[in-house]
Amino acid sequence: MDLASKFLRTVTNATNNNTLINVCLVLSFGALSARSIKQQREIEALEAEKVSLLNSNKALKKTMWDWKQQLFAEASTDSALVPLARIKAIYGEAPISPSGVGHVATEDANSQGSKLMV
């Protein structure tokens, strides 16, 4: 009991002492400042990563566009394995007729069957 009362008296005196309160406030401010600096560094790193990803995405889109244009150019020649109309249909640039869809399905089924038989 005597120990508890001494502890309460010490706590009461400490709360009345402005120096202790000021030290606690300064420590809290320091801890919050350190956390804020850490978070700011993380944000800057994430922003740099975002810029890098955006640049790589732009480069990939350009590469895919170039490949697509090359594919269309190769398909427009007479010796193309796949006709240009079929490639445009795959990319959704040409309307697909209902009769063409059935033809494609049977063509795929025939090619699958021949592969299985071999």
Side-chain angles (χ1 to χ4, degrees):
M1 185 82 145
D2 188 39
L3 183 61
S5 64
K6 283 183 183 181
F7 177 74
L8 287 175
R9 215 174 312 131
T10 305
V11 170
T12 305
N13 289 339
T15 56
N16 291 334
N17 188 355
N18 283 337
T19 305
L20 181 63
I21 292 173
N22 290 339
V23 168
C24 289
L25 288 174
V26 167
L27 290 175
S28 298
F29 180 74
L32 290 173
S33 296
R35 186 181 74 173
S36 177
I37 290 169
K38 179 183 174 192
Q39 289 176 343
Q40 185 64 33
R41 287 181 183 156
E42 288 176 2
I43 288 171
E44 290 170 357
L46 289 172
E47 286 175 351
E49 183 181 2
K50 176 184 173 185
V51 169
S52 172
L53 288 173
L54 285 174
N55 290 338
S56 66
N57 282 347
K58 286 179 185 178
L60 286 173
K61 285 180 182 180
K62 183 182 180 325
T63 302
M64 289 183 356
W65 174 258
D66 292 342
W67 286 348
K68 183 178 172 185
Q69 294 306 311
Q70 181 183 1
L71 179 65
F72 282 178
E74 290 174 0
S76 64
T77 63
D78 292 333
S79 63
L81 295 176
V82 180
L84 181 61
R86 169 92 174 163
I87 291 175
K88 283 188 175 183
I90 290 171
Y91 281 102
E93 294 186 8
I96 301 173
S97 64
S99 62
V101 174
H103 176 68
V104 170
T106 56
E107 181 182 307
D108 289 343
N110 289 339
S111 65
Q112 290 288 338
S114 63
K115 286 180 185 175
L116 292 175
M117 295 177 75
V118 172

